Amino acid sequence: MTKFIIVGAGRRVQQDLLPALSFLGYKKEDVFIFAKTKKNILVRNIIYDVKKFTEIKEIDDKWIVYIAVPANISEFIIDQVLETNPRVKIIIETPINNFLLVNKYNNYNICVAEDAYFLGKYLILNEFIKIKNFNILFMYKSAYSYHGIAFIESLLSKIFFGFSVFGIYFGICKKGIALIFGEKKYEAGGIWLNSKKLNLPELTESEKKLIGGYTDFDNLSYRFLDLKRIGLVNLINNFIKENYFSISISEGFNHYKKSKIIDKYNLKIIFKKVIKTALNKLT
């Protein structure tokens, strides 16, 4: 089994990544975790040892490195990993939002951990939703930044043009139109495809365990963050294969750029900025 090196030991690693690897059959001895400080973490009744990042001495070509650190230090970590082994496969948690850095890393084997995209593809492949030639997707309080863009493109294919009017985002896609309204609050939101609200899909027992079981309030939006673990499982499983599909750093950068337009003309946000500016001038 392919070994995993994880750089970072925060919430994302503990709540999503390690459970996803366990779902795929990875044992404790198959996973090596490194972070700023040495410690132990308890994840779903398993204690993992976390070593200092400086202790990484070698990385095998067949291993995968998952980098889950804040964006402001990701370049340093990527550089250190590539210096150790420039041929290794790398998954980065957050898209690179700097065009110069995208060009810097374009020729390396690096992908973005955009699990929202793979969740959308999972829903289609397992026939939980059906995509027509033309569709209307409405996301209310359930789309956040580049994750929302990635999810839209997983269902409706590429967004050719996007604009925002009075807090409503319109995405003109290859297979329809996507609309986003409302600040992100998954538990209070909803997702509709062709006027039908999307509920929680039928899951296997192991998938139910992965997302933490069912609740009385479940729908696709309410459990979106939990369901993204299934997307992460499919992303990792796909990346391990020789002929794989992944979200490249260039594509991740495109998702990031497209997401910047979502709240550009949100009146609530503009009003808050105006009030804040006015208050700053008074003090």
Side-chain angles (χ1 to χ4, degrees):
M1 179 169 277
T2 304
K3 303 291 185 182
F4 254 82
I5 287 179
I6 301 172
V7 182
R11 186 211 65 81
R12 171 67 162 168
V13 170
Q14 295 183 41
Q15 292 188 12
D16 299 326
L17 179 55
L18 288 173
L21 289 175
S22 181
F23 179 92
L24 288 168
Y26 280 84
K27 305 298 182 185
K28 178 180 175 179
E29 53 270 22
D30 299 319
V31 180
F32 305 88
I33 308 173
F34 297 87
K36 186 177 180 179
T37 56
K38 186 176 181 180
K39 57 186 174 181
N40 294 323
I41 56 175
L42 176 64
V43 178
R44 300 198 180 191
N45 299 320
I46 300 174
I47 298 175
Y48 293 88
D49 298 323
V50 180
K51 297 180 179 180
K52 293 183 70 172
F53 176 69
T54 53
E55 295 183 48
I56 297 179
K57 301 301 180 186
E58 59 179 355
I59 303 172
D60 190 274
D61 285 2
K62 295 181 180 179
W63 291 15
I64 291 177
V65 178
Y66 192 110
I67 298 176
V69 299
N72 62 322
I73 63 169
S74 62
E75 181 186 3
F76 170 78
I77 300 297
I78 294 170
D79 286 345
Q80 294 298 305
V81 169
L82 292 175
E83 186 176 316
T84 304
N85 186 345
R87 298 174 299 279
V88 71
K89 287 183 175 181
I90 299 174
I91 302 174
I92 57 174
E93 177 63 26
T94 306
I96 295 172
N97 59 13
N98 183 307
F99 181 71
L100 294 177
L101 290 183
V102 170
N103 284 338
K104 176 181 176 180
Y105 298 125
N106 243 342
N107 294 323
Y108 293 100
N109 206 344
I110 303 175
C111 82
V112 180
E114 191 42 82
D115 45 14
Y117 183 91
F118 282 84
L119 171 61
K121 290 301 183 186
Y122 164 86
L123 295 173
I124 295 172
L125 290 172
N126 288 276
E127 299 183 342
F128 295 127
I129 59 177
K130 293 183 179 180
I131 300 297
K132 303 175 183 178
N133 290 330
F134 182 85
N135 308 268
I136 298 177
L137 178 68
F138 177 52
M139 304 180 73
Y140 173 65
K141 291 183 178 291
S142 53
Y144 174 66
S145 190
Y146 46 83
H147 299 304
I149 295 297
F151 185 71
I152 289 170
E153 292 200 340
S154 73
L155 301 186
L156 305 187
S157 197
K158 185 178 180 180
I159 299 173
F160 294 118
F161 178 67
F163 61 95
S164 186
V165 179
F166 302 129
I168 303 175
Y169 170 84
F170 295 83
I172 312 303
C173 312
K174 183 178 180 181
K175 294 184 178 180
I177 298 173
L179 297 94
I180 297 173
F181 179 67
E183 293 184 45
K184 180 204 69 175
K185 194 174 183 182
Y186 293 113
E187 64 274 16
I191 301 174
W192 287 262
L193 178 66
N194 299 325
S195 74
K196 180 181 179 182
K197 188 173 185 178
L198 300 181
N199 293 312
L200 203 67
E202 287 292 326
L203 304 176
T204 65
E205 288 303 314
S206 57
E207 288 172 335
K208 289 178 189 176
K209 185 178 179 182
L210 177 63
I211 72 165
Y214 287 163
T215 76
D216 294 333
F217 309 99
D218 288 338
N219 61 55
L220 189 64
S221 175
Y222 189 86
R223 300 300 300 278
F224 194 78
L225 293 179
D226 296 321
L227 286 167
K228 285 204 301 127
R229 289 188 205 118
I230 295 176
L232 185 59
V233 163
N234 285 275
L235 181 154
I236 293 169
N237 202 29
N238 195 66
F239 196 53
I240 292 170
K241 299 173 183 177
E242 288 297 323
N243 299 311
Y244 62 88
F245 169 79
S246 64
I247 301 297
S248 68
I249 54 174
S250 295
E251 193 60 32
F253 179 64
N254 287 333
H255 288 163
Y256 168 79
K257 286 196 301 180
K258 290 174 182 178
S259 73
K260 302 308 290 182
I261 199 70
I262 292 176
D263 292 321
K264 190 170 183 179
Y265 299 109
N266 188 316
L267 290 181
K268 186 175 181 180
I269 293 175
I270 292 172
F271 181 72
K272 284 182 178 179
K273 288 181 178 178
V274 170
I275 294 297
K276 186 177 180 180
T277 302
L279 289 174
N280 288 336
K281 288 182 178 180
L282 291 174
T283 56

